[in-house]
Each structure stands twice: as C-alpha cells, then as structure tokens.
Amino acid sequence: TACYGPGFGANYWNNSFSLRFAAHQPEYGLFTKEASFKNDTWGAALRGIWAPVNTDDMTVTVGFSISTQKTSQPVAFLAGPEVSARKDITTLNTGDLSVSHYEVYAGELSAKFNALLVEGEYLLNKVTEAKDKDLTFGGGYGQVSYFITGSPYAFNLRDAAYSIPATQKDAWQVAFRTSFLDLNDKLVSGGEETDYSLALNWYPERNIRWSLNYIYGDVTNYYKTEQTVHALSTRLQLTW
C-alpha cells in the first residue's frame, strides 16, 4: 500500500525575489524494497526566482533550481510524449541503474508582455552510480503562449508562477511548445526525443479550463529505433 513520507518546506519572497526550499521522503518503497521504514531515503529541492522587471504590462524573470535525491535500489529514468493518458506511453527508458544519488540542476527564463508569455528552461541530471560512475542526462523546453482575447498575464512572486487575473472570464489562449530529452550517455542508451505541441485553451471562468492539444514527437527510442508519435488530446479541468 502506498504511504507518503513526511516533509517540510519554507518560502520567502519580497517585491522582486522568491526563494523556496523543501525536504521530503518519497512515497514509501519508491527507492527501497526493504521492509524497514527507516530505509526510505530523503530528497531536497531549492528554487530561486528574480524578477528585475515586474509590472502589470511587463515581467522578466531569471531563475534556478537544484534538487537532490538519495536512493538505495536500482532506478530507471524514463519518459514519453508530453501527453497525459490513462495508459502512459514510454518511449525513453534507461533501464535499471545502480544509483546511489542524483542531482538535477535547472536554469529558467521568462518574459511577459501583457497577453504574450515566453518561457524556457534547461535541466541537467547528474547521476552517480553505486560504483562511482557518473552519468549525465539533459533536456529542456521553450514555449510561447498568447491570449487572443487580450487577457493580461499576472505574475505572483509568492508562488513564482503566472496566471490569468482573478476577474478574467471567457478567455481564449493559443500556445506552442517544443521540448527535448536525451537519456543517452556512455554505455547507457535510454533514447532521445523532441516534441512539438500546439494548444488551444478556453477559460470560461478563471478556475475552469478546456484544452485541445496536438503533439508531434520525433523519437529515437531505447531500442535505437526511430519512430514518430502523433497525439491529440482534450481535457476539461476544474481547480479550486
């Protein structure tokens, strides 16, 4: 039976800077098959965001994040196309690795110009195997979104996230996103993938979103076989 471990976090922010820290135990049994609760391992994450410009019409942010996770059993890094479905599709898979710990380093940029938002992030995963062999995997994304109804984005430094204003209704948004992931290094052939996505989103109310997405994926999978992925998805989402 799944059991979530304890954790704690802290958040500091002011008019131009946000810093968040968290430490946690993963779901019980995720990184160990031992029966003893004491064998589950801890992880930690730190994220900082600086917004040198943050007005109603324009926002520019620069950020970083670092996370670390210790493990006590083999770990496989895997991924699939950027689409959520009842049955996940796995196109990239490193297979089980004898990992003692790994760290993920990331840098991010964003710029908002009223109804236009541009974002990008690059991540580097440094994996240390039990035999002191280091592996490096990398990936990132870039995306552009625009409210065709002219709805301005709002940036909240407390959460370090963008949203539409609380009073906004009946907003239409279009977006384009591209992302890539490379799980190949040394003798590990986990595959590599580049995805391209188009999205149409409708917000009848601020907390209700209907989305339509098309995803095209260019994949060289872990069998070193080239394949193409096409996906069409729709979702109705309610938040509160």
Side-chain angles (χ1 to χ4, degrees), residues 147 151 164-172 201-210 236-239:
F147 277 106
S151 311
I164 62 175
T167 58
Q168 183 63 49
K169 296 182 180 181
D170 199 25
W172 288 85
N201 299 314
W202 175 45
Y203 297 82
E205 300 285 344
R206 184 179 183 272
N207 65 328
I208 301 175
R209 184 182 73 168
W210 171 78
L236 182 62
Q237 181 176 340
L238 173 66
T239 59

Side-chain angles (χ1 to χ4, degrees), residues 1-13:
T1 301
C3 178
Y4 293 94
F8 64 90
N11 188 13
Y12 168 80
W13 72 95

Side-chain angles (χ1 to χ4, degrees), residues 77-90:
F77 297 94
L78 49 89
E82 290 191 307
V83 58
S84 297
R86 287 186 176 181
K87 183 177 181 181
D88 291 334
I89 301 173
T90 299

Side-chain angles (χ1 to χ4, degrees), residues 8 20 36 57 100 197:
F8 64 90
R20 304 168 69 94
S36 171
D57 296 327
S100 62
S197 306

Side-chain angles (χ1 to χ4, degrees), residues 199-221:
L200 175 65
N201 299 314
W202 175 45
Y203 297 82
E205 300 285 344
R206 184 179 183 272
N207 65 328
I208 301 175
R209 184 182 73 168
W210 171 78
S211 62
L212 178 66
N213 298 273
Y214 169 72
I215 299 96
Y216 169 84
D218 187 8
V219 183
T220 302
N221 62 28

Side-chain angles (χ1 to χ4, degrees), residues 10-32:
N11 188 13
Y12 168 80
W13 72 95
N14 56 28
N15 292 332
S16 61
F17 187 74
S18 173
L19 189 66
R20 304 168 69 94
F21 171 79
H24 60 88
Q25 275 192 314
E27 178 181 317
Y28 174 64
L30 183 61
F31 292 115
T32 179

Side-chain angles (χ1 to χ4, degrees), residues 217-232:
D218 187 8
V219 183
T220 302
N221 62 28
Y222 49 96
Y223 294 115
K224 297 184 179 181
T225 301
E226 295 185 0
Q227 62 182 137
T228 300
V229 176
H230 299 271
L232 185 66

